[in-house]
Amino acid sequence: MPERSGRQAKFFETDQAPRRDRYQVPTPRLIQSVPGERSSSIDITMVGVIKRMNVLRSILNIRLGPGAAVLPQDVTRIHMEFAKNIEDGHMGPRKFFKENLPRLKFWNPSVPMIVNRTANQHGPSTLSLYFREGGTGATEFTMPSSSTKGHAKAPEPVEGERVVTIDMKNRRSEMILKDFMDTTGAVPVTPTPQEEAELKDLAELHKRSEIDREIGRKQQEARRREAAMLAQARSEAAALKAGD
């Protein structure tokens, strides 16, 4: 299996060597609560748990999941084109762009990935995969910048390069990804033991946040009942005073 490495950077803009060690997250220390008791700092504690959970979730989300794969060396570049809105068959391509492509870029920072979004809902939705022909050396080419105005059309393959185009229109993102993996021969990334531990930590943080949320809900309900009882008592006292 190819060596795993990765670097989260601005979307589709980096070709620097990835460094996995930047994404190591200390194991969160969960604060234990005493059954039947609740300190005045519960809100602060819950906020801290939620913050840690969100940070850990965002890091794991870009490193793992559908689209986390290492591309073979013969893949030279990737181009996507689809409409901005989801109507007329562009929902699957848009989901692939938002969920799968960032993971592919994370694990393959040196592979150019250009996205061309257009205003033409009835236009094509294509995923163009460029490959280096067998035995050829480095392939030189120029790539346009990604565009939201339809200005980054898929370029023609250069000498020593071939292109395979996948029609994404009216297809689910899962099927688009399957075709992508089958066509490129990309190797899916599996969690390391440390990432498995981080996933476990995330599950524990989620469980703790659910407990805190339920306790907070019950406390709020108790405060509302107390306020209602106090308001009723004051109303009854005022009525008695008025009747004297």
Side-chain angles (χ1 to χ4, degrees), residues 13-220:
E13 294 182 1
T14 180
D15 58 359
Q16 300 179 11
R19 285 189 56 190
R20 186 185 183 87
D21 59 335
R22 295 184 183 181
Y23 297 90
Q24 305 307 320
V25 178
T27 300
R29 180 176 62 86
L30 298 181
I31 302 174
Q32 300 297 325
S33 59
V34 178
E37 296 184 6
R38 195 63 173 171
S39 69
S40 60
S41 63
I42 176 58
D43 292 337
I44 298 177
T45 301
M46 184 167 63
V47 169
V49 169
I50 293 174
K51 284 184 176 180
R52 291 197 299 272
M53 183 173 65
N54 288 339
V55 170
L56 189 56
R57 181 189 291 116
S58 63
I59 292 173
L60 291 176
N61 186 58
I62 194 68
R63 291 198 319 221
L64 303 171
V70 178
L71 293 169
Q73 294 296 319
D74 62 339
V75 177
T76 57
R77 45 183 170 162
I78 295 171
H79 179 277
M80 280 192 71
E81 178 171 323
F82 59 95
K84 293 180 181 180
N85 298 322
I86 63 175
E87 292 80 10
D88 300 309
H90 294 275
M91 179 182 289
R94 180 181 174 84
K95 187 175 180 181
F96 180 90
F97 161 72
K98 292 178 69 68
E99 297 185 3
N100 305 135
L101 203 62
R103 297 187 184 109
L104 284 167
K105 186 60 181 177
F106 176 84
W107 290 107
N108 306 276
S110 62
V111 177
M113 300 182 186
I114 305 303
V115 179
N116 187 42
R117 286 178 283 179
T118 74
N120 183 10
Q121 290 298 132
H122 301 291
S125 180
T126 57
L127 177 60
S128 300
L129 309 174
Y130 295 78
F131 297 86
R132 185 180 296 108
E133 294 283 13
T136 61
T139 304
E140 295 184 1
F141 51 78
T142 57
M143 286 289 284
S145 299
S146 293
S147 173
T148 59
K149 298 181 179 180
H151 296 162
K153 293 294 183 180
E156 293 295 326
V158 299
E159 184 178 356
E161 189 181 41
R162 64 183 178 89
V163 60
V164 177
T165 301
I166 296 174
D167 185 3
M168 301 186 294
K169 200 166 187 179
N170 294 306
R171 303 188 66 198
R172 296 176 60 87
S173 61
E174 297 86 354
M175 296 307 299
I176 297 172
L177 179 60
K178 182 180 184 304
D179 282 358
F180 175 91
M181 299 293 287
D182 292 342
T183 303
T184 61
V187 179
V189 172
T190 55
T192 65
Q194 179 169 348
E195 287 166 340
E196 293 282 8
E198 289 172 350
L199 289 170
K200 183 179 179 180
D201 290 337
L202 182 60
E204 291 176 355
L205 286 172
H206 179 73
K207 182 178 179 181
R208 175 60 190 272
S209 69
E210 290 295 324
I211 294 174
D212 288 342
R213 187 177 294 108
E214 179 63 18
I215 292 175
R217 184 186 65 80
K218 291 181 178 179
Q219 287 181 331
Q220 187 177 28

Side-chain angles (χ1 to χ4, degrees), residues 236-244:
E236 292 174 353
L240 291 173
K241 185 177 181 180
D244 288 344

